[in-house]
Every structure is written in structure tokens, then in C-alpha cells.
Amino acid sequence: MLGAAGRMGQTVCAAVEAAPDLELVARFDAGDDFSVVAGSGAHVAVDFTIPAVTEANVHALIDAGIHAVVGTTGWTDESRTRVTEHLAQAGPASQGLGVLIAPNFGLSAVLAMTFAAKAARYFESAEVIELHHPDKVDAPSGTARHTARAIAAARAEAGLAPSPDATESGFEARGADVDGVRVHAVRLRGLVAHEEILFGNVGEQLIIRQDSFDRVSFMPGVLLAVREVVTRPGLTVGLENVLDLT
Amino acid sequence: MLGAAGRMGQTVCAAVEAAPDLELVARFDAGDDFSVVAGSGAHVAVDFTIPAVTEANVHALIDAGIHAVVGTTGWTDESRTRVTEHLAQAGPASQGLGVLIAPNFGLSAVLAMTFAAKAARYFESAEVIELHHPDKVDAPSGTARHTARAIAAARAEAGLAPSPDATESGFEARGADVDGVRVHAVRLRGLVAHEEILFGNVGEQLIIRQDSFDRVSFMPGVLLAVREVVTRPGLTVGLENVLDLT
Amino acid sequence: MLGAAGRMGQTVCAAVEAAPDLELVARFDAGDDFSVVAGSGAHVAVDFTIPAVTEANVHALIDAGIHAVVGTTGWTDESRTRVTEHLAQAGPASQGLGVLIAPNFGLSAVLAMTFAAKAARYFESAEVIELHHPDKVDAPSGTARHTARAIAAARAEAGLAPSPDATESGFEARGADVDGVRVHAVRLRGLVAHEEILFGNVGEQLIIRQDSFDRVSFMPGVLLAVREVVTRPGLTVGLENVLDLT
Amino acid sequence: MLGAAGRMGQTVCAAVEAAPDLELVARFDAGDDFSVVAGSGAHVAVDFTIPAVTEANVHALIDAGIHAVVGTTGWTDESRTRVTEHLAQAGPASQGLGVLIAPNFGLSAVLAMTFAAKAARYFESAEVIELHHPDKVDAPSGTARHTARAIAAARAEAGLAPSPDATESGFEARGADVDGVRVHAVRLRGLVAHEEILFGNVGEQLIIRQDSFDRVSFMPGVLLAVREVVTRPGLTVGLENVLDLT
């Protein structure tokens, strides 16, 4: 576990120790020597560190022949490309290595986004409401933005017209426009992180809603990633790509 | 029934005819002579006409000694005051007459607003989401605006601080600000008229939601008003004032 | 259109006439001679008739070389097998014919069921709530039963234990047991047909909900089926099989 | 604080210490001498102990001239009557003392129940869904049962017929019958304690929902009770009676 002393790191360590088919062999954090990891015999490493060091960690893991599951934010197209290239050029010890970078390990959040993208082409209207605790500084949430973009892309591909909207006054009540999809952000004491995606046709509605009440909710997704990354050589981005949704 | 040929008027006529304790004695519409109403023996008249004639109708009803239930929009503080004065000065035939003007006869909508106002002082956070069909031209809806104002007034009276909100970017996703209460407007094909009011404290949430699927939903409220207006002399504004909520 | 005079039949006729890429060439109902259909030049027939005649209709359509979209209930494994065999043995005029039988043409309902089946393996708990108008005589609804069975099958395939449940008293509040999945039926005036599927893990919840407010909501699904059936030779059962959900 | 070492007790102590207008002067638990309380100078005591001792505690508090807020369960009509009688006979030091016994200090739960009782007479249909974590042993929850009884009483008083229900088969999906109101119990990993009350008329629906995510959610209600009990001499049962809902 890289970033073992952080809040997510501690939660992951506890979850790995509680899983009968997994063994925690090393805890690594800022200030530790990487040999703790390289010499641990680990098959898979989980990285919840910080943007400043996560890319270097992943390259070191590839060199050490260890699969990587990465939940740290801050990755760019360029940094992901460097990982792909490193994996392609890696020596014999690193053949078949997998790296999974996921912005979100919440199964309910990832499934909600995935289903929303699939449903999008079949409905005349689509809007997104995200609801969070009031200490959140950005709006709308990254997850909601990501969902709206996926809906917009699916609608464009299916040749749908924009969602109908006759609004002539009061546009400020209509939310943010993310690629043509309206996204509303609610901030309410007592909530944690929630997303509701609404689709409408004449006479019918489909709602996909997910609630994250606690960071322990990410653990099933992290453990699933740890088990699956060893079977997926190369770079995979997004937990949805290791889910079986066929 | 005044405005008997309109969509609401026809629906009210059918509802009155279906009610065992009520009798429909006259249908009046544009072009008809008011003697149709005055000579009908009606105890109560229902007015769903148009803003241009509703005030004149009410004054004629008072002169004819007929109680009035009014669903037509367009009333102002001034026009309401003229009704109050007329009722106060009315002759013997008009003693004890009641006039009920209500912007909304939906029981679920009126109860949602009323409960929201009562709950408001007990929660740190409050927001409103209204959801309507996409042909609606104004946002947020009048009902949502009214609800938000009632919440804001109750919070102010109880000395509450503004709902917490750390948003630093993306304010356009945070909805309209109605007296300090955030109101979000969703427009979705398939919907009719819906309102959801969210309250939050640390560790808990209260949601009051109402759905209006069809204009027939206003009939229980209209019939209730017809039965109650005869017991309430003077002008009453808002269906909530004839509900028994103690 | 077979069953053109029925409520669904009339709605389908109106929807086909309103679709720019489709043409309505024949209306057929009880008492009509089948030559009305056979000689109409129709490429695709839609059957919303009655269980007693729908199978005979489909065989006659195959003989006439017309693709069939069938929404009538009452099909059994045996009657479906007879259609498959007929399609396999059909002469040159019937080569490549498609027959689509669907118990439900509501896109939101079909998508909700499909997504629920895909999500099922990723959650510790799953329950289904269906909500309908109070004139419905059976509980739980066929759709909810179908959804619960699909969830149960997916859970079994993934080797999940039963949903945890410590209930020791009051089992009658826990709903019907459909293959180990609890299904609750709500009956409420004002509702039409609604389904809510709830999934839970530690710290998170996924809800998939669909609302059918009106029978016009089936039209997008019927038109989609009409357009897709011509590209799918043989028998297809279930609208989900003509949706693009990959 | 009586029961200061328990989970609720510790949470209450923390909440009192964080409140600027309150001071925590004594912590009392099993084994402590009651003089800790009697001599503490406390104006108000909060009792979250156990059914076996809570009644004796309240009588001792009355003798000591201390107002009492009681969240412990196990009270009966008889034990409540004894408190009323003791308060009536109390000496000068105990004049004007208030005792508030509340089965639930969650503001959202108490408001939901209260609003449901008020709304009940205005709707043709009413049902209750309660949702809890799967470790709960009883169904339906006490809160849901209490809510259903209050709805049933309000419907009876208003002379309403039973909620319409044409169900002929599958009654086990229709939930428990509590005084004629259907109550459904959902058990789902990830949930804590939630209640949803649904009301329906032709064309409209009202939903009152409350979510309790954490026991800290009871603290605003406990603190409100502490502040209000000093102004309400005699025995008060139920937090709703100290809320201002007029």
C-alpha cells in the first residue's frame, strides 16, 4: 500500500487485511525507502498518495514488476501516455504487467455513470443532479461533469437533438450547461456524495441514482481492481473497464 | 361555474356533477349574460376564467349574494383589497359571504409548501428542486419561488444563519437564489409538475416531494374549497387556510 | 396494425402515422379478412391483439412474408418454439424474416431491468419495490417478478450469498420472496406503473427507478422494434435484445 | 448526563459541551452514587440509560428538583402515569418541573410522522415504506408502525374509506397491515434508518421522506428538548409536542 498512512490508505489496508484471498505485505508512505515495496514480494500495489508523486510511483512499480492500482488524482493525457510507453518497453520482469488508474472506485458511482451513458441515446431529455455536503468547494462535481459529458457524447453519436427546453426567463435556475446537458448542484448538511441522473420521454422517466455515504464504500471497488488488474496487461483507465457488464 | 367551457372549467363541472353532496346549477362563459349565474340559485360559484374578467366576476358574485372560489391568476394586492372592502360594505343579502382566492388547488402542492414552511426553522440547510415538462417558459416555477420565500421567512424568524455553502467555483450549477434559498429547475419530457424540498442537518435529511400528474388532481382541492368557503366569511387567500392542519 | 381498434392499436396507428420514416398501410381487427394484411404491401406488422389469436396471426404473417412485432401477452415456451420452427422452414418469400415478441415496450422499464441484472453481481443487498394504481389485481407485477428473477440469476452466477437479513419478527412486512429477492408492492391512487430497484453495499447505494405515466410511453419502443426487426432474422424475445447497450 | 458512558450518552455529552448556551456539569453511569447528579447544580438531566433503571432515575430527578429529558425506551402507560402523579404531588422544590419522554429525537423523523398525520385526511391512499440496515431484527420499525397508526387514526377521524386495493393474488407482496395502512420493510446493506410515507389522490402524489444517517442526527433534537423542557411543567411525551408547528 502506497500512501498507507493517509485516510484512504488506512481504510484500504484494513480492507485488504479483512479479505481472505489477499495479504498485505508492505505499507509505504512519504519518507520511506522504495525498497520497502520492491523487496516486499507484492504482486499488486495500491497507490493513494498525492498528485506530485503518483506518476513516479507507478514507473517505479513497473520497474519492480508489480501491478498497480491507482486512485490518486492529477493524471493527465501526457502522464498516462508515459505509463503506456513504459509498459510497452518494459523488460522481461515486467511483461504482462497491468496498471489501472481510476478516478472513482465507488461501484455505485461507476455503474451509475456507465448505465447513464448507455441509456442516453434512448431518451428525448436528460439532466443530472448532484448532491453533496456543503463543504465542497467546486460545483458541479467531477463525477457529474464526467456523467454529463458521457451522456452528451452518446446523444451526439445517436444523432439526437438537444433536450427540449422552452425556458425564456430564469436561466440561473436551470443549472450549469455541460456539453448541452444541464447539471444541478445541491449542497446540504447531512449529505456526503450523491448523483441522480434523469431521463425522460413522452409518458415515461428513468432515474439512476447513487449514494456514497462513507469512504468505506470505495473498498469493494479497490479490492475488485486488485483482483482484476493482474489479468489486464497494459494501462486501463476507469473501473468500468474491469466490470463485467455484457 | 364561471369559465365553464375552458379546460379547467369542464373538469370542475364533471367533478361537481360526480360529487354526491354538490349540484351544478349553472355554466357561464364569455358571451353569456350574468343573469345565468345570478338567477341560478347557486350558493357557491367557481371562477376559472381569465385575469381580465375575474375581478369583475367576483364583485358581481358578491352583489348577487353568492360565495366565490377563484382559481384564476392575475390578482394583485390592490384587486384583493377591493374585494375585502366590497365584502365589508355589502348589504344584507351579502352578509357572511366568503371569497377564497387560491393560486394552487393541488392538495399535495399546498401541503408540501405548508409543511416546508413549518419544518424550515429546524434544519441547517434547505434547497428546492422543481421539475416540469420542457414546454414551461418560466423558471423557477411560481410554486417553487413561493416555497423558497416561505422557507426563507421561517429561517429568518428563527434567527438561522444562511444555509452553509463553501462553493468557490461553478456557481451556475447552484441554481437561482430566492431570498437566500437555492432553487433548481429541471425540465424533462414526460414530467408534468413536481416539487422536491430538501432539508438537512448533521446526519439527517427530510424530503418533502409532491407530484402533479394531471389537472384532475386539482379537483379534490376545488371541491374542498367549495364546501369550506361558505363557513369562512370575508376574503381568504390560499387553500392552506381552509385545511385543518392543527 | 393487427388489433388496430384496441386502445394500444389506436395509439400505435397514431404513432406510426406521426413517424416520418414509416407509413401505415393497413388496419386489421377482429372480423376482418387477413387478405387486408397480406395484400397491403406491409413490410412489418405490429400485433396488439389477444392471446387467443396472436399465435395464428404470427404464423399467417410469416407465410405472407411480413416481419412481425408482437406485444400481445399469452406466449408460452411451446408457442415460441413453433414460431422458431416455422421461421426455419419458411419458403423463399419468408427468408430472413424477423419476429420480435416483447412483453414490455417501455424503454425505461426495459432499461431498468437490463441495468439491474448487470448491476446485481456487484452488491451485497438487492430489493425491488413496484408501485401501481390500486385497481391492479395481481402482486407483485410481472415486471417486478421478472426483474427479481434476473437479479437472482446474476447473483447466483457470481456466487453471492443471499442478501443479509436479520429479521426475526414481522416477516409479513418484508414483501414477497421471488427467488430469494424481496419484492414489495405499493398500490396508490394517482400512480400508473413504476419500479424501483435498490442495491446496497457497505457505505453506498444504487437505485434504478422507472416511471410509466401513460401508454404513449410504449410508442418509442414499438417504433424502435419496427425499425430493428427487419435486420434480425429469426425469433427475438424481449426489446432489450434490439437495444444497443454495449 | 445519565448513562454518560453509553454510545448515546457520550454523543450527548459532546453535543452539550459544544453548545455555547449549555454547560455539562455531571456525568452519571451505572455504579455511580446519585449524589453526583443531585449535588451537581444541574437544571436539566438527560437520561439515555436502560429500561430497568430509567423510571427510578426520573423519580429521583423529580425529588432533586431537576427537569428531565428521557430517551430511554421501555416506558409503559403505567410508568408514565406514576411520573405524572409524582409531578403533581411534588413539594415546593419541584414546582413547575418538566419531564419530556421521547421515543425518537430525530427531528426529521418526528417531523415526518407529524406531517404524515396531518396530511392523512386529504388523500385517498396512504402507504409507508421503512428502509433499514439488514442487522435490524424487527419489522416493521417502531417508527413506521407509529406513523401508520397515526395515519389510520386521522383517516378514521375524517371518515375516509380504506385505501383502495384490488389485489386478488400475491398479498405477501403488499406488506404488513397496521390498522389498515400497508407498511413495507426494506433491509439493505449501506442504509441506516429511513422512512418514506406516500399519499395519493387521482392525479397527484405527496411523499414525505426522512433519512437518519448517523446517531449524531439525534443531537439537535436532544438539545432542543433540553432548552424547551424547562418551560413545560408536567409530563410531555413526544418531541413533536415541543416543536413549534402552528
Side-chain angles (χ1 to χ4, degrees):
Chain A
M1 180 71 219
L2 285 70
R7 292 192 309 175
M8 278 300 289
Q10 293 180 42
T11 311
V12 172
C13 286
V16 168
E17 288 182 324
D21 62 330
L22 300 175
E23 191 188 349
L24 181 66
V25 295
R27 296 166 190 256
F28 173 87
D29 221 299
D32 293 339
D33 192 283
F34 194 75
S35 62
V36 173
V37 178
S40 68
H43 288 252
V44 180
V46 178
D47 181 296
F48 275 97
T49 55
I50 55 171
V53 303
T54 184
E55 187 186 349
N57 287 345
V58 170
H59 289 289
L61 289 167
I62 296 172
D63 287 334
I66 301 174
H67 303 276
V69 169
V70 182
T72 316
T73 58
W75 288 81
T76 61
D77 285 351
E78 290 70 31
S79 58
R80 281 190 289 259
T81 299
R82 286 190 292 267
V83 168
T84 304
E85 290 170 359
H86 190 171
L87 284 167
Q89 302 155 359
S94 303
Q95 288 302 313
L97 269 194
V99 173
L100 170 67
I101 301 176
N104 197 327
F105 282 96
L107 283 170
S108 62
V110 170
L111 288 169
M113 274 191 282
T114 307
F115 293 154
K118 288 182 194 296
R121 61 180 297 172
Y122 295 109
F123 291 91
E124 192 180 341
S125 297
E127 300 208 2
V128 177
I129 304 173
E130 55 94 335
L131 310 95
H132 281 83
H133 60 85
D135 303 323
K136 188 170 177 61
V137 294
D138 57 316
S141 69
T143 300
R145 216 184 289 260
H146 191 75
T147 305
R149 281 202 198 106
I151 291 170
R155 289 176 64 95
E157 198 189 311
L160 294 192
S163 291
D165 183 359
T167 307
E168 288 174 7
S169 64
F171 295 101
E172 70 280 9
R174 294 283 294 116
D177 180 324
V178 176
D179 291 4
V181 175
R182 291 284 164 181
V183 181
H184 311 268
V186 172
R187 296 293 172 262
L188 207 76
R189 184 68 76 209
L191 296 184
V192 180
H194 316 255
E195 188 183 26
E196 193 164 316
I197 307 139
L198 299 94
F199 294 104
N201 277 332
V202 172
E204 69 171 344
Q205 186 181 207
L206 177 70
I207 300 176
I208 301 171
R209 177 177 173 119
Q210 74 80 218
D211 300 275
S212 298
F213 302 119
D214 194 299
R215 94 172 54 87
V216 295
S217 71
F218 300 132
M219 292 309 109
V222 171
L223 298 189
L224 183 74
V226 167
R227 291 175 186 124
E228 292 287 334
V229 71
V230 299
T231 68
R232 298 179 192 258
L235 176 65
T236 303
V237 178
L239 188 67
E240 60 274 24
N241 295 305
V242 305
L243 299 182
D244 179 5
L245 296 176
T246 54
Chain B
M1 180 71 218
L2 284 71
R7 291 192 309 176
M8 278 299 288
Q10 293 180 42
T11 311
V12 172
C13 286
V16 169
E17 289 183 322
D21 62 329
L22 300 176
E23 190 188 349
L24 181 67
V25 295
R27 294 166 191 258
F28 173 87
D29 221 299
D32 294 338
D33 192 283
F34 194 75
S35 64
V36 173
V37 177
S40 69
H43 288 252
V44 180
V46 179
D47 181 296
F48 276 98
T49 56
I50 55 172
V53 303
T54 184
E55 188 186 350
N57 287 344
V58 169
H59 289 289
L61 289 167
I62 296 172
D63 287 333
I66 301 174
H67 302 275
V69 169
V70 182
T72 316
T73 58
W75 288 81
T76 62
D77 285 352
E78 290 71 29
S79 57
R80 282 189 289 259
T81 300
R82 286 190 291 266
V83 168
T84 304
E85 290 170 357
H86 189 172
L87 284 168
Q89 302 156 358
S94 303
Q95 288 303 311
L97 269 194
V99 173
L100 171 67
I101 301 177
N104 197 327
F105 283 96
L107 283 170
S108 62
V110 169
L111 288 170
M113 274 190 283
T114 306
F115 293 154
K118 288 180 194 299
R121 61 181 297 172
Y122 295 109
F123 291 90
E124 192 179 342
S125 297
E127 300 209 1
V128 177
I129 305 172
E130 53 94 335
L131 311 95
H132 281 82
H133 59 85
D135 303 323
K136 187 170 177 61
V137 294
D138 57 316
S141 70
T143 300
R145 216 183 289 260
H146 191 76
T147 305
R149 283 202 196 105
I151 291 170
R155 290 175 63 95
E157 197 188 314
L160 295 193
S163 292
D165 183 0
T167 307
E168 288 173 7
S169 65
F171 295 100
E172 69 280 9
R174 293 283 294 115
D177 179 325
V178 176
D179 289 5
V181 175
R182 290 284 164 181
V183 181
H184 310 268
V186 173
R187 297 292 172 262
L188 207 76
R189 183 68 75 208
L191 296 184
V192 180
H194 317 255
E195 187 183 28
E196 192 164 316
I197 307 139
L198 299 95
F199 295 104
N201 277 332
V202 173
E204 68 171 345
Q205 188 183 206
L206 176 70
I207 300 177
I208 300 172
R209 176 176 175 121
Q210 73 81 217
D211 300 275
S212 297
F213 302 119
D214 194 299
R215 94 171 56 85
V216 295
S217 72
F218 299 132
M219 292 310 109
V222 171
L223 299 189
L224 184 74
V226 167
R227 291 174 186 123
E228 293 287 334
V229 71
V230 299
T231 68
R232 298 180 191 257
L235 175 66
T236 303
V237 177
L239 188 67
E240 61 274 23
N241 295 305
V242 304
L243 300 182
D244 179 6
L245 296 175
T246 53
Chain C
M1 180 72 217
L2 285 71
R7 291 192 308 176
M8 278 298 290
Q10 292 179 43
T11 312
V12 172
C13 287
V16 169
E17 288 184 324
D21 61 331
L22 300 175
E23 190 188 349
L24 181 67
V25 296
R27 294 164 191 257
F28 172 87
D29 220 296
D32 294 339
D33 192 284
F34 193 75
S35 63
V36 173
V37 178
S40 68
H43 288 252
V44 180
V46 178
D47 180 298
F48 275 98
T49 55
I50 56 172
V53 303
T54 184
E55 187 186 349
N57 287 345
V58 169
H59 288 290
L61 290 166
I62 296 173
D63 287 334
I66 302 175
H67 302 275
V69 169
V70 182
T72 317
T73 59
W75 288 82
T76 63
D77 285 351
E78 291 70 32
S79 57
R80 282 189 288 260
T81 300
R82 286 191 291 268
V83 168
T84 304
E85 289 170 357
H86 190 172
L87 284 166
Q89 301 155 1
S94 304
Q95 289 302 314
L97 271 195
V99 173
L100 170 67
I101 301 177
N104 197 326
F105 283 96
L107 283 169
S108 62
V110 169
L111 288 169
M113 275 191 281
T114 306
F115 293 154
K118 288 181 194 295
R121 63 180 298 173
Y122 295 109
F123 291 90
E124 192 180 342
S125 297
E127 300 208 2
V128 177
I129 303 172
E130 55 94 336
L131 311 96
H132 281 83
H133 59 85
D135 303 323
K136 187 171 178 59
V137 294
D138 58 316
S141 70
T143 300
R145 217 183 289 259
H146 191 76
T147 305
R149 283 203 197 103
I151 291 170
R155 289 175 64 94
E157 198 189 312
L160 294 193
S163 292
D165 183 0
T167 308
E168 289 173 7
S169 65
F171 296 100
E172 70 279 9
R174 293 284 291 115
D177 179 325
V178 177
D179 290 4
V181 175
R182 291 285 164 180
V183 181
H184 310 268
V186 173
R187 297 291 171 264
L188 207 76
R189 183 68 74 209
L191 296 185
V192 180
H194 316 255
E195 188 183 27
E196 192 163 317
I197 307 139
L198 298 95
F199 296 103
N201 277 332
V202 172
E204 68 171 345
Q205 188 183 207
L206 177 70
I207 299 176
I208 301 172
R209 177 177 174 119
Q210 74 80 216
D211 300 276
S212 298
F213 301 119
D214 194 299
R215 95 171 53 86
V216 297
S217 70
F218 299 131
M219 293 310 107
V222 171
L223 299 189
L224 183 74
V226 167
R227 291 174 186 124
E228 292 287 334
V229 71
V230 299
T231 67
R232 296 178 194 258
L235 176 65
T236 303
V237 177
L239 188 67
E240 60 274 25
N241 295 304
V242 305
L243 299 182
D244 180 6
L245 297 176
T246 53
Chain D
M1 179 72 217
L2 284 71
R7 291 192 308 176
M8 278 298 290
Q10 291 180 44
T11 311
V12 173
C13 286
V16 170
E17 288 183 324
D21 61 331
L22 301 175
E23 189 188 350
L24 181 67
V25 294
R27 295 165 191 256
F28 173 86
D29 220 296
D32 293 339
D33 192 283
F34 193 76
S35 63
V36 173
V37 178
S40 67
H43 288 253
V44 181
V46 179
D47 181 297
F48 275 98
T49 55
I50 56 172
V53 303
T54 184
E55 187 185 349
N57 287 344
V58 170
H59 288 290
L61 289 166
I62 295 172
D63 287 334
I66 301 175
H67 302 275
V69 170
V70 182
T72 316
T73 59
W75 288 81
T76 63
D77 285 352
E78 291 70 31
S79 58
R80 281 190 288 260
T81 300
R82 286 191 290 267
V83 169
T84 305
E85 290 170 358
H86 191 172
L87 285 166
Q89 302 155 1
S94 303
Q95 289 301 315
L97 269 195
V99 173
L100 170 67
I101 302 176
N104 197 327
F105 284 96
L107 284 169
S108 62
V110 169
L111 288 169
M113 275 190 281
T114 306
F115 294 155
K118 288 181 194 296
R121 61 180 298 171
Y122 296 109
F123 291 91
E124 191 180 342
S125 297
E127 300 208 3
V128 177
I129 303 172
E130 54 94 335
L131 311 96
H132 281 83
H133 59 85
D135 302 323
K136 186 170 179 61
V137 294
D138 57 315
S141 71
T143 300
R145 215 182 291 259
H146 191 76
T147 305
R149 283 204 197 103
I151 291 170
R155 290 176 64 93
E157 198 189 312
L160 294 193
S163 292
D165 183 359
T167 307
E168 288 174 7
S169 66
F171 296 100
E172 70 279 10
R174 293 284 292 116
D177 179 324
V178 177
D179 290 5
V181 175
R182 293 283 164 180
V183 181
H184 310 267
V186 173
R187 296 292 171 265
L188 207 77
R189 184 68 75 210
L191 296 185
V192 180
H194 316 255
E195 187 183 27
E196 191 163 317
I197 307 140
L198 299 95
F199 295 103
N201 277 331
V202 172
E204 69 171 344
Q205 189 183 206
L206 176 70
I207 299 176
I208 301 172
R209 177 178 174 119
Q210 74 79 216
D211 300 274
S212 297
F213 302 119
D214 195 297
R215 94 170 55 85
V216 296
S217 70
F218 299 131
M219 293 309 107
V222 171
L223 299 189
L224 183 73
V226 167
R227 290 172 187 127
E228 293 287 333
V229 71
V230 300
T231 68
R232 298 179 193 257
L235 175 65
T236 303
V237 178
L239 188 67
E240 60 274 24
N241 296 303
V242 305
L243 299 182
D244 180 5
L245 297 175
T246 52

